[in-house]
Amino acid sequence: MSGPGFAVIDFETTGLFPNGNDRVIEVAIVHVDELGRIEGHWDTLVNPGRDLGRPDIHRIRAADVMNAPTFDQIASKLVELLAGRVLVAHNANFDTRFLIAELQRAGHWTTSNVVTLCTMQLARDFLPGTGRSLADCCAAYDIELDGAHRASVDAAATARLLGAYVESANDPEFWGGPIIEAFDYRWPGMTPQDIAWYPRPDSAHPMTAASFLARMTHSLPDVAGPAEYVDYLALLDRCLLDRHLSAHEAEALVQLADELGISRHSCEALHLEYFAGLTRIAWEDGILTMDEMADLVDVGNLLDLSLEAISAALEAPTPLASESLAGVDPASAFALQPGDLVVLTGDMTRPREAWEGELLARGFTPWRAVTKKVKLVVAADPDSLSGKARKARDYGIPIVDEAALERMTRNG
């Protein structure tokens, strides 16, 4: 895979500061030969072991990177793909600084004189008067850029932009100098690791009960009783506090069912019972409001209940489960009380100070550290990999999103 040629690289990162706490969360490499022709492409998500920053920019969820390799695990493969080639990026200074910082963090010393070309800087010569953004440069050559801020998309577009530059200036001396220099550059030696790369999925479907029920076997003998059912329903209630099922929550439900000896069939029955409890509460005053109706639909969809079961809940105040397995009503088991400690983590849509002020105004206590006394952790992404989120899971503290916090504080 060594050169000669070009290796176009693009990173998605948690932020802008490679020498601070920001980390790489996705990388893509595209090989381009001396004539500007694409030879191959590779990409993977990267687990940074921390919060992912602003998901509205890169659209990567914490659940997406849970099973992705770390940078240390992909470093040897990445260097192999770069070896002997000119490193090319749109804003090469940014990507090179992250590359060097990540390699050094992984214990691989790398000099800063990596041979690079920057398609953004080259636009001054090839596209005078055009904007410097990747979108502007690609538009000038009618290069498709659909799905920007996805490493594979940006790297592929940059590779095609490089090819257009090469075609526009058929100058072997101009392109050949960096190619020869890069072929002689020596990257740090590394022991190869047999770690599969983990590309970002084409689409991200919401997590529902089907995703974890499928991991339970129908043949598992059910050795659980009412006490175990209560424990499962209590965890289910906490998992659905924000009407969102995170990957960590799904994993916790699978593990608990396995530990308690609850079969898949019983889990499905318990989900019906949980939904029946919500239905009874919604109809207690004889009226089903639009908010209550929307809530029942949300929960029914998360639990993968049939359309008939959900429709029945909206039409009549009759229980959906004729026989209770646990003998308890799991609904509304969790509520914030005045004075409860609430921890915020991650980059949220509202300023941290605004949330803290609202919590104080409603009688709750915003707190900075996660301890066993904390009642709730609020994250921009409930699957957050931040230290606060990991500690909350260790302590069994619920983690919800901003929408759930707003609903809880409004109803509190």
Side-chain angles (χ1 to χ4, degrees):
M1 289 185 188
S2 296
F6 306 95
V8 178
I9 191 168
D10 187 82
F11 288 129
E12 292 300 321
T13 65
T14 62
L16 303 176
F17 306 104
N19 295 319
N21 293 321
D22 286 320
R23 303 294 303 274
V24 166
I25 53 177
E26 187 177 31
V27 59
I29 300 287
V30 179
H31 279 180
V32 178
D33 69 12
E34 303 97 314
L35 300 179
R37 299 172 299 195
I38 292 176
E39 299 177 300
H41 53 84
W42 302 261
D43 64 285
T44 184
L45 290 167
V46 180
N47 188 331
R50 55 146 287 178
D51 183 77
L52 299 189
R54 291 181 56 186
D56 58 311
I57 295 177
H58 49 63
R59 297 186 297 280
I60 298 175
R61 307 169 306 158
D64 296 328
V65 303
M66 276 178 58
N67 298 314
T70 64
F71 192 93
D72 187 31
Q73 291 174 321
I74 68 162
S76 61
K77 176 69 172 180
L78 179 59
V79 166
E80 179 186 349
L81 292 171
L82 298 176
R85 292 177 177 267
V86 181
L87 189 151
V88 180
H90 200 80
N91 191 357
N93 178 266
F94 175 86
D95 292 277
T96 303
R97 287 190 298 116
F98 263 98
L99 173 64
I100 292 173
E102 288 285 8
L103 286 173
Q104 291 179 343
R105 191 178 286 114
H108 306 295
W109 184 83
T110 303
T111 63
S112 59
N113 60 334
V114 177
V115 183
T116 66
L117 285 175
C118 179
T119 53
M120 182 180 70
Q121 297 294 342
L122 288 172
R124 296 178 179 180
D125 299 319
F126 290 96
L127 297 169
T130 301
R132 298 287 186 263
S133 73
L134 180 60
D136 286 337
C137 293
C138 286
Y141 285 106
D142 199 23
I143 295 171
E144 183 178 354
L145 182 61
D146 184 15
H149 293 296
R150 182 179 176 122
S152 60
V153 171
D154 288 354
T158 303
R160 292 183 63 192
L161 179 62
L162 173 65
Y165 287 170
V166 173
E167 184 178 357
S168 298
N170 187 14
D171 185 346
E173 184 176 345
F174 177 82
W175 301 108
I179 288 176
I180 294 172
E181 188 179 354
F183 194 71
D184 292 333
Y185 181 81
R186 290 295 171 260
W187 291 88
M190 300 184 194
T191 303
Q193 294 197 52
D194 187 19
I195 301 294
W197 281 28
Y198 193 89
R200 193 193 307 200
D202 291 331
S203 61
H205 299 289
M207 181 78 68
T208 66
S211 61
F212 66 87
L213 285 173
R215 295 159 58 187
M216 302 177 185
T217 174
H218 279 294
S219 61
L220 178 70
D222 196 335
V223 298
E228 288 78 14
Y229 297 152
V230 170
D231 288 342
Y232 181 85
L233 287 173
L235 179 59
L236 180 66
D237 183 60
R238 288 199 169 201
C239 290
L240 297 183
L241 278 177
D242 56 359
R243 300 310 186 239
H244 168 88
L245 190 60
S246 73
H248 283 98
E249 289 166 342
E251 182 65 28
L253 286 166
V254 171
Q255 290 183 2
L256 183 64
D258 183 57
E259 292 170 6
L260 299 179
I262 303 176
S263 70
R264 175 176 172 176
H265 174 76
S266 290
C267 284
E268 291 170 337
L270 286 169
H271 293 175
L272 278 171
E273 180 174 345
Y274 180 86
F275 189 66
L278 288 181
T279 303
R280 287 193 297 271
I281 289 176
W283 280 102
E284 274 182 346
D285 57 1
I287 300 173
L288 192 66
T289 67
M290 292 300 294
D291 285 344
E292 290 169 333
M293 185 180 300
D295 190 53
L296 288 174
V297 171
D298 286 345
V299 175
N301 288 332
L302 283 169
L303 297 177
D304 286 299
L305 302 185
S306 67
L307 180 61
E308 292 76 13
I310 298 174
S311 298
L314 304 181
E315 294 174 0
T318 54
L320 293 179
S322 59
E323 181 178 344
S324 173
L325 294 179
V328 298
D329 193 340
S332 302
F334 181 96
L336 286 175
Q337 302 298 327
D340 280 345
L341 306 185
V342 179
V343 171
L344 307 174
T345 183
D347 296 318
M348 299 184 175
T349 57
R350 291 179 61 184
R352 183 75 58 88
E353 295 76 13
W355 268 125
E356 291 177 347
E358 184 164 332
L359 286 169
L360 286 169
R362 295 184 180 274
F364 310 115
T365 305
W367 208 248
R368 293 304 176 98
V370 176
T371 69
K372 292 182 179 180
K373 293 183 178 180
V374 169
K375 184 68 174 293
L376 185 72
V377 171
V378 184
D381 183 342
D383 267 316
S384 172
L385 301 177
S386 72
K388 290 179 179 178
R390 292 197 298 269
K391 185 62 69 176
R393 293 186 191 101
D394 291 341
Y395 292 153
I397 300 170
I399 303 174
V400 302
D401 58 16
E402 286 180 88
L405 177 61
E406 186 170 353
R407 185 175 66 250
M408 291 177 185
T409 53
R410 185 175 63 243
N411 297 335

Coordinates of all heavy atoms in Angstrom, one line a residue, residues 217-293:
T217 N -32.7 -15.4 24.0 CA -33.2 -16.6 23.4 C -34.6 -17.0 23.9 O -34.9 -16.9 25.1 CB -32.3 -17.8 23.5 OG1 -32.9 -19.0 23.0 CG2 -31.9 -18.0 25.0
H218 N -35.5 -17.5 23.0 CA -36.8 -18.0 23.4 C -36.7 -19.2 24.3 O -37.5 -19.4 25.2 CB -37.7 -18.3 22.2 CG -38.3 -17.1 21.6 ND1 -39.3 -16.4 22.2 CD2 -38.1 -16.6 20.4 CE1 -39.6 -15.4 21.4 NE2 -38.9 -15.5 20.2
S219 N -35.6 -19.9 24.1 CA -35.5 -21.2 24.9 C -34.9 -21.1 26.3 O -34.8 -22.0 27.0 CB -34.6 -22.2 24.1 OG -33.3 -21.7 23.9
L220 N -34.5 -19.8 26.6 CA -33.9 -19.7 28.0 C -35.0 -20.0 29.0 O -36.1 -19.4 29.0 CB -33.5 -18.2 28.1 CG -32.9 -17.8 29.5 CD1 -31.6 -18.5 29.7 CD2 -32.8 -16.3 29.7
P221 N -34.7 -20.9 29.9 CA -35.7 -21.2 31.0 C -35.9 -20.1 31.9 O -34.9 -19.4 32.4 CB -35.0 -22.4 31.7 CG -33.5 -22.3 31.4 CD -33.4 -21.7 30.1
D222 N -37.2 -19.7 32.1 CA -37.5 -18.6 33.0 C -37.6 -19.1 34.4 O -38.4 -19.8 34.8 CB -38.9 -18.0 32.5 CG -39.1 -16.7 33.1 OD1 -38.5 -16.3 34.1 OD2 -39.9 -15.9 32.5
V223 N -36.6 -18.6 35.2 CA -36.5 -19.0 36.6 C -36.9 -17.9 37.5 O -36.7 -17.9 38.7 CB -35.1 -19.5 36.9 CG1 -34.8 -20.8 36.1 CG2 -34.0 -18.5 36.7
A224 N -37.3 -16.8 36.9 CA -37.6 -15.6 37.7 C -39.0 -15.6 38.3 O -39.9 -16.4 37.9 CB -37.5 -14.3 36.8
G225 N -39.2 -14.8 39.3 CA -40.5 -14.6 39.9 C -40.9 -13.2 40.1 O -40.2 -12.3 39.5
P226 N -41.9 -12.9 40.8 CA -42.4 -11.5 41.0 C -41.3 -10.5 41.4 O -41.3 -9.4 40.9 CB -43.5 -11.6 42.0 CG -44.0 -13.0 41.9 CD -42.8 -13.8 41.5
A227 N -40.4 -10.9 42.3 CA -39.4 -9.9 42.7 C -38.5 -9.6 41.6 O -38.1 -8.4 41.4 CB -38.6 -10.5 43.9
E228 N -38.1 -10.5 40.8 CA -37.2 -10.3 39.7 C -37.9 -9.4 38.6 O -37.3 -8.5 38.0 CB -36.7 -11.6 39.0 CG -35.7 -12.4 39.8 CD -36.3 -13.1 41.0 OE1 -37.6 -13.3 41.0 OE2 -35.6 -13.6 41.8
Y229 N -39.2 -9.7 38.4 CA -40.0 -8.9 37.5 C -40.0 -7.4 37.9 O -39.9 -6.5 37.1 CB -41.4 -9.4 37.3 CG -41.5 -10.8 36.8 CD1 -42.5 -11.7 37.1 CD2 -40.5 -11.3 35.9 CE1 -42.6 -12.9 36.6 CE2 -40.6 -12.6 35.3 CZ -41.6 -13.4 35.7 OH -41.7 -14.6 35.2
V230 N -40.2 -7.2 39.2 CA -40.2 -5.8 39.7 C -38.9 -5.1 39.4 O -38.8 -4.0 39.0 CB -40.5 -5.8 41.2 CG1 -40.3 -4.4 41.8 CG2 -41.9 -6.3 41.5
D231 N -37.8 -5.8 39.6 CA -36.5 -5.3 39.4 C -36.3 -4.9 37.9 O -35.8 -3.8 37.5 CB -35.4 -6.2 39.8 CG -35.2 -6.4 41.3 OD1 -35.7 -5.5 42.0 OD2 -34.6 -7.4 41.7
Y232 N -36.8 -5.8 37.0 CA -36.7 -5.5 35.6 C -37.5 -4.3 35.2 O -37.1 -3.4 34.5 CB -37.1 -6.7 34.8 CG -37.0 -6.5 33.3 CD1 -35.8 -6.7 32.6 CD2 -38.1 -6.1 32.5 CE1 -35.7 -6.5 31.3 CE2 -38.0 -5.9 31.2 CZ -36.7 -6.1 30.5 OH -36.6 -5.9 29.2
L233 N -38.8 -4.2 35.7 CA -39.6 -3.1 35.4 C -39.1 -1.8 35.9 O -39.2 -0.8 35.3 CB -41.0 -3.4 36.0 CG -41.9 -4.4 35.2 CD1 -43.2 -4.7 36.0 CD2 -42.2 -4.0 33.8
A234 N -38.5 -1.8 37.1 CA -37.9 -0.6 37.7 C -36.8 -0.1 36.8 O -36.7 1.1 36.5 CB -37.4 -0.9 39.1
L235 N -35.9 -1.0 36.2 CA -34.9 -0.6 35.3 C -35.4 -0.1 34.0 O -35.0 0.9 33.5 CB -33.9 -1.7 35.1 CG -32.7 -1.4 34.1 CD1 -31.9 -0.2 34.7 CD2 -31.8 -2.6 33.9
L236 N -36.5 -0.8 33.5 CA -37.1 -0.4 32.3 C -37.7 1.1 32.4 O -37.5 1.9 31.5 CB -38.2 -1.3 31.9 CG -39.0 -1.0 30.6 CD1 -38.1 -1.1 29.4 CD2 -40.2 -1.9 30.5
D237 N -38.3 1.3 33.6 CA -38.8 2.6 33.8 C -37.7 3.7 33.8 O -37.9 4.8 33.2 CB -39.5 2.7 35.2 CG -40.2 4.0 35.5 OD1 -41.1 4.4 34.7 OD2 -39.8 4.6 36.5
R238 N -36.6 3.4 34.4 CA -35.5 4.4 34.4 C -34.9 4.6 33.0 O -34.6 5.7 32.6 CB -34.4 3.9 35.3 CG -34.7 4.0 36.8 CD -33.5 4.0 37.7 NE -33.8 4.4 39.0 CZ -32.9 4.9 39.9 NH1 -31.7 5.0 39.5 NH2 -33.3 5.2 41.1
C239 N -34.9 3.5 32.2 CA -34.3 3.6 30.9 C -35.2 4.4 30.0 O -34.7 5.0 29.0 CB -34.2 2.2 30.3 SG -32.9 1.2 31.0
L240 N -36.5 4.5 30.2 CA -37.4 5.2 29.4 C -37.8 6.6 29.9 O -38.8 7.2 29.5 CB -38.7 4.3 29.2 CG -38.5 3.0 28.4 CD1 -39.8 2.3 28.2 CD2 -37.8 3.2 27.1
L241 N -37.1 7.0 30.9 CA -37.4 8.3 31.5 C -37.4 9.4 30.5 O -38.3 10.3 30.5 CB -36.3 8.7 32.5 CG -36.4 8.1 33.9 CD1 -35.2 8.6 34.8 CD2 -37.7 8.6 34.6
D242 N -36.5 9.4 29.5 CA -36.5 10.5 28.5 C -37.1 10.1 27.2 O -37.0 10.7 26.2 CB -35.0 10.9 28.3 CG -34.1 9.8 27.9 OD1 -34.6 8.6 27.8 OD2 -32.9 10.0 27.6
R243 N -37.9 8.9 27.3 CA -38.5 8.4 26.1 C -37.5 8.2 24.9 O -37.8 8.5 23.8 CB -39.7 9.3 25.6 CG -40.8 9.5 26.7 CD -41.3 8.2 27.2 NE -42.4 8.3 28.1 CZ -42.4 7.9 29.4 NH1 -41.3 7.4 29.9 NH2 -43.5 8.0 30.1
H244 N -36.4 7.7 25.4 CA -35.3 7.4 24.4 C -34.6 6.2 25.0 O -34.3 6.1 26.2 CB -34.3 8.6 24.3 CG -33.0 8.3 23.6 ND1 -32.9 8.3 22.3 CD2 -31.8 7.9 24.1 CE1 -31.7 8.0 21.9 NE2 -31.0 7.7 23.0
L245 N -34.3 5.2 24.2 CA -33.6 4.0 24.6 C -32.1 4.1 24.1 O -31.9 3.9 22.9 CB -34.3 2.8 24.2 CG -33.8 1.5 24.7 CD1 -34.0 1.4 26.2 CD2 -34.6 0.3 24.1
S246 N -31.2 4.3 25.0 CA -29.8 4.4 24.6 C -29.2 3.0 24.4 O -29.7 2.0 25.0 CB -29.0 5.2 25.5 OG -28.7 4.5 26.7
A247 N -28.0 2.9 23.8 CA -27.4 1.6 23.6 C -26.9 1.1 25.0 O -27.0 -0.1 25.2 CB -26.2 1.8 22.7
H248 N -26.4 2.0 25.8 CA -26.0 1.5 27.2 C -27.2 1.0 28.0 O -27.1 0.0 28.7 CB -25.4 2.7 27.9 CG -24.0 3.0 27.5 ND1 -23.7 4.0 26.6 CD2 -22.8 2.4 27.9 CE1 -22.4 4.1 26.5 NE2 -21.8 3.1 27.2
E249 N -28.4 1.6 27.8 CA -29.6 1.2 28.5 C -30.0 -0.2 28.0 O -30.4 -1.0 28.8 CB -30.7 2.2 28.4 CG -30.4 3.5 29.2 CD -31.3 4.7 28.8 OE1 -31.9 4.6 27.7 OE2 -31.3 5.6 29.6
A250 N -30.0 -0.3 26.7 CA -30.4 -1.6 26.1 C -29.5 -2.7 26.6 O -29.9 -3.8 27.0 CB -30.3 -1.6 24.6
E251 N -28.2 -2.4 26.7 CA -27.2 -3.4 27.2 C -27.5 -3.8 28.7 O -27.4 -4.9 29.1 CB -25.8 -2.9 27.1 CG -24.7 -3.8 27.5 CD -24.6 -5.1 26.7 OE1 -24.9 -5.0 25.5 OE2 -24.1 -6.1 27.2
A252 N -27.9 -2.7 29.5 CA -28.2 -3.0 30.9 C -29.4 -3.8 31.0 O -29.4 -4.7 31.9 CB -28.4 -1.6 31.6
L253 N -30.4 -3.7 30.2 CA -31.6 -4.5 30.3 C -31.3 -5.9 29.9 O -31.8 -6.9 30.5 CB -32.7 -3.9 29.3 CG -33.4 -2.6 29.8 CD1 -34.1 -2.0 28.7 CD2 -34.3 -2.9 31.0
V254 N -30.5 -6.1 28.9 CA -30.1 -7.5 28.5 C -29.3 -8.2 29.7 O -29.6 -9.3 30.0 CB -29.2 -7.5 27.2 CG1 -28.7 -8.9 27.0 CG2 -30.1 -7.0 26.0
Q255 N -28.4 -7.5 30.2 CA -27.6 -8.0 31.3 C -28.5 -8.4 32.5 O -28.3 -9.4 33.1 CB -26.5 -7.1 31.7 CG -25.4 -6.9 30.7 CD -24.2 -6.0 31.1 OE1 -24.3 -5.5 32.2 NE2 -23.3 -5.8 30.3
L256 N -29.4 -7.5 32.9 CA -30.2 -7.7 34.0 C -31.1 -8.9 33.8 O -31.3 -9.8 34.7 CB -31.0 -6.5 34.4 CG -31.9 -6.6 35.6 CD1 -31.0 -6.8 36.9 CD2 -32.8 -5.4 35.8
A257 N -31.7 -9.0 32.6 CA -32.6 -10.1 32.3 C -31.8 -11.4 32.4 O -32.3 -12.4 32.9 CB -33.2 -10.0 30.9
D258 N -30.6 -11.4 31.9 CA -29.8 -12.6 32.0 C -29.4 -13.0 33.4 O -29.5 -14.1 33.9 CB -28.5 -12.4 31.2 CG -27.6 -13.6 31.1 OD1 -28.1 -14.7 30.7 OD2 -26.5 -13.5 31.6
E259 N -29.1 -12.0 34.2 CA -28.7 -12.2 35.6 C -29.9 -12.7 36.4 O -29.8 -13.6 37.3 CB -28.2 -10.9 36.3 CG -26.9 -10.5 35.8 CD -26.5 -9.1 36.2 OE1 -27.2 -8.5 37.1 OE2 -25.5 -8.5 35.8
L260 N -31.1 -12.2 36.1 CA -32.3 -12.6 36.9 C -33.0 -13.8 36.4 O -33.9 -14.3 37.0 CB -33.3 -11.4 36.9 CG -32.8 -10.1 37.6 CD1 -33.9 -9.0 37.5 CD2 -32.4 -10.4 39.0
G261 N -32.5 -14.3 35.2 CA -33.2 -15.5 34.6 C -34.5 -15.2 34.0 O -35.4 -16.1 34.0
I262 N -34.7 -14.0 33.4 CA -36.0 -13.7 32.8 C -35.9 -14.0 31.3 O -35.0 -13.5 30.6 CB -36.3 -12.2 33.0 CG1 -36.3 -11.9 34.5 CG2 -37.6 -11.8 32.4 CD1 -36.6 -10.4 34.8
S263 N -36.8 -14.7 30.8 CA -36.8 -15.1 29.4 C -37.2 -14.0 28.5 O -37.8 -13.0 28.9 CB -37.6 -16.4 29.2 OG -39.0 -16.0 29.3
R264 N -37.0 -14.2 27.2 CA -37.4 -13.2 26.2 C -38.9 -13.1 26.2 O -39.5 -12.0 26.2 CB -36.9 -13.6 24.8 CG -37.4 -12.7 23.7 CD -36.8 -13.1 22.4 NE -37.4 -12.4 21.3 CZ -37.0 -12.5 20.0 NH1 -36.0 -13.3 19.7 NH2 -37.6 -11.8 19.1
H265 N -39.6 -14.2 26.3 CA -41.1 -14.2 26.4 C -41.6 -13.4 27.6 O -42.5 -12.6 27.4 CB -41.6 -15.6 26.4 CG -43.1 -15.7 26.6 ND1 -44.0 -15.5 25.5 CD2 -43.9 -16.0 27.7 CE1 -45.2 -15.6 26.0 NE2 -45.2 -15.9 27.3
S266 N -41.0 -13.6 28.7 CA -41.4 -12.8 29.9 C -41.1 -11.3 29.8 O -41.9 -10.5 30.2 CB -40.8 -13.4 31.2 OG -41.3 -14.7 31.5
C267 N -40.0 -11.0 29.2 CA -39.6 -9.6 28.9 C -40.7 -8.9 28.1 O -41.1 -7.8 28.3 CB -38.3 -9.5 28.3 SG -36.9 -9.7 29.4
E268 N -41.1 -9.6 27.0 CA -42.1 -9.1 26.1 C -43.4 -8.9 26.9 O -44.1 -7.8 26.7 CB -42.3 -10.0 24.9 CG -41.2 -10.0 24.0 CD -41.3 -11.1 22.9 OE1 -42.0 -12.1 23.2 OE2 -40.6 -11.0 21.9
A269 N -43.8 -9.8 27.8 CA -45.0 -9.7 28.6 C -44.8 -8.5 29.6 O -45.8 -7.8 29.8 CB -45.3 -11.0 29.3
L270 N -43.6 -8.3 30.1 CA -43.4 -7.2 31.1 C -43.5 -5.9 30.4 O -44.0 -4.9 31.0 CB -42.0 -7.4 31.7 CG -42.0 -8.5 32.8 CD1 -40.5 -8.8 33.2 CD2 -42.8 -8.2 34.0
H271 N -43.1 -5.8 29.1 CA -43.2 -4.6 28.4 C -44.7 -4.3 28.2 O -45.1 -3.1 28.3 CB -42.5 -4.7 27.0 CG -41.0 -4.9 27.1 ND1 -40.2 -5.1 26.0 CD2 -40.2 -4.8 28.2 CE1 -39.0 -5.2 26.4 NE2 -38.9 -5.0 27.7
L272 N -45.5 -5.3 27.9 CA -46.9 -5.0 27.8 C -47.5 -4.5 29.1 O -48.3 -3.6 29.2 CB -47.6 -6.3 27.3 CG -47.6 -6.6 25.8 CD1 -48.2 -8.0 25.6 CD2 -48.5 -5.6 25.1
E273 N -47.0 -5.1 30.2 CA -47.5 -4.7 31.5 C -47.1 -3.3 31.8 O -47.9 -2.5 32.4 CB -47.0 -5.7 32.6 CG -47.5 -5.3 34.0 CD -47.2 -6.3 35.1 OE1 -46.8 -7.4 34.7 OE2 -47.3 -5.9 36.2
Y274 N -45.9 -2.9 31.5 CA -45.4 -1.6 31.7 C -46.3 -0.6 30.9 O -46.7 0.4 31.5 CB -44.0 -1.5 31.3 CG -43.4 -0.1 31.5 CD1 -42.8 0.3 32.7 CD2 -43.4 0.9 30.5 CE1 -42.3 1.5 32.9 CE2 -42.8 2.1 30.6 CZ -42.3 2.5 31.9 OH -41.8 3.7 32.0
F275 N -46.6 -0.9 29.7 CA -47.4 -0.1 28.9 C -48.8 0.0 29.4 O -49.4 1.1 29.4 CB -47.4 -0.6 27.4 CG -48.0 0.3 26.4 CD1 -47.5 1.6 26.1 CD2 -49.2 0.0 25.8 CE1 -48.0 2.4 25.2 CE2 -49.8 0.8 24.9 CZ -49.2 2.0 24.6
A276 N -49.3 -1.1 29.9 CA -50.6 -1.1 30.5 C -50.7 -0.1 31.7 O -51.7 0.6 32.0 CB -51.0 -2.5 30.9
G277 N -49.6 -0.1 32.5 CA -49.5 0.8 33.7 C -49.6 2.2 33.2 O -50.3 3.1 33.8
L278 N -48.8 2.6 32.2 CA -48.9 3.9 31.7 C -50.3 4.3 31.2 O -50.8 5.4 31.4 CB -47.9 4.1 30.5 CG -46.4 4.1 30.9 CD1 -45.6 4.3 29.6 CD2 -46.1 5.2 31.9
T279 N -50.9 3.3 30.5 CA -52.3 3.5 30.0 C -53.3 3.8 31.1 O -54.1 4.7 31.0 CB -52.7 2.3 29.2 OG1 -51.8 2.1 28.1 CG2 -54.1 2.6 28.6
R280 N -53.2 3.0 32.2 CA -54.1 3.2 33.3 C -54.0 4.6 33.9 O -55.0 5.3 34.2 CB -53.9 2.1 34.4 CG -54.4 0.7 34.0 CD -54.4 -0.2 35.2 NE -53.0 -0.4 35.7 CZ -52.2 -1.4 35.3 NH1 -52.6 -2.2 34.3 NH2 -51.0 -1.5 35.9
I281 N -52.7 5.1 34.1 CA -52.5 6.4 34.7 C -53.0 7.5 33.7 O -53.6 8.5 34.2 CB -51.0 6.6 35.0 CG1 -50.6 5.7 36.1 CG2 -50.6 8.0 35.3 CD1 -49.1 5.7 36.5
A282 N -52.8 7.3 32.4 CA -53.2 8.3 31.5 C -54.7 8.5 31.5 O -55.2 9.6 31.3 CB -52.7 8.0 30.1
W283 N -55.4 7.4 31.7 CA -56.9 7.4 31.7 C -57.5 7.6 33.1 O -58.8 7.6 33.2 CB -57.4 6.1 31.1 CG -57.3 6.1 29.6 CD1 -56.4 5.4 28.8 CD2 -58.2 6.7 28.6 NE1 -56.7 5.6 27.5 CE2 -57.8 6.4 27.3 CE3 -59.4 7.5 28.8 CZ2 -58.4 6.9 26.2 CZ3 -60.0 8.0 27.7 CH2 -59.6 7.6 26.4
E284 N -56.7 7.8 34.1 CA -57.3 7.9 35.5 C -58.4 9.0 35.6 O -59.4 8.8 36.3 CB -56.2 8.2 36.5 CG -55.5 6.9 37.0 CD -54.4 7.1 38.0 OE1 -54.0 8.3 38.2 OE2 -54.0 6.2 38.6
D285 N -58.2 10.1 34.9 CA -59.2 11.2 35.0 C -60.2 11.1 33.9 O -61.1 12.0 33.8 CB -58.5 12.6 34.9 CG -57.6 12.7 33.7 OD1 -57.6 11.8 32.8 OD2 -57.0 13.8 33.5
G286 N -60.2 10.0 33.2 CA -61.2 9.8 32.1 C -61.0 10.6 30.9 O -61.8 10.5 29.9
I287 N -59.8 11.3 30.8 CA -59.5 12.1 29.6 C -58.1 11.8 29.1 O -57.2 11.7 30.0 CB -59.6 13.6 29.9 CG1 -61.0 14.0 30.4 CG2 -59.2 14.4 28.7 CD1 -61.1 15.4 30.8
L288 N -57.9 11.6 27.9 CA -56.6 11.4 27.3 C -56.2 12.6 26.5 O -56.7 12.9 25.5 CB -56.6 10.2 26.4 CG -55.2 9.6 25.9 CD1 -54.5 9.1 27.1 CD2 -55.4 8.5 24.9
T289 N -55.3 13.4 27.1 CA -54.8 14.6 26.4 C -53.9 14.3 25.2 O -53.4 13.2 25.1 CB -54.1 15.5 27.4 OG1 -52.8 14.9 27.8 CG2 -54.9 15.8 28.6
M290 N -53.7 15.3 24.4 CA -52.8 15.1 23.3 C -51.4 14.8 23.8 O -50.7 13.9 23.1 CB -52.7 16.4 22.4 CG -54.0 16.7 21.7 SD -54.5 15.4 20.6 CE -53.2 15.5 19.4
D291 N -50.9 15.4 24.9 CA -49.6 15.1 25.4 C -49.5 13.6 25.9 O -48.5 12.9 25.6 CB -49.2 16.0 26.5 CG -48.8 17.4 26.0 OD1 -48.5 17.5 24.8 OD2 -48.8 18.3 26.9
E292 N -50.6 13.2 26.5 CA -50.6 11.8 27.0 C -50.7 10.8 25.8 O -50.1 9.7 25.9 CB -51.8 11.6 27.9 CG -51.7 12.3 29.3 CD -53.0 12.3 30.1 OE1 -54.1 12.3 29.5 OE2 -52.9 12.4 31.3
M293 N -51.4 11.2 24.8 CA -51.5 10.3 23.7 C -50.2 10.2 23.0 O -49.8 9.1 22.6 CB -52.6 10.9 22.7 CG -52.9 10.1 21.5 SD -54.1 10.9 20.4 CE -55.5 11.0 21.4

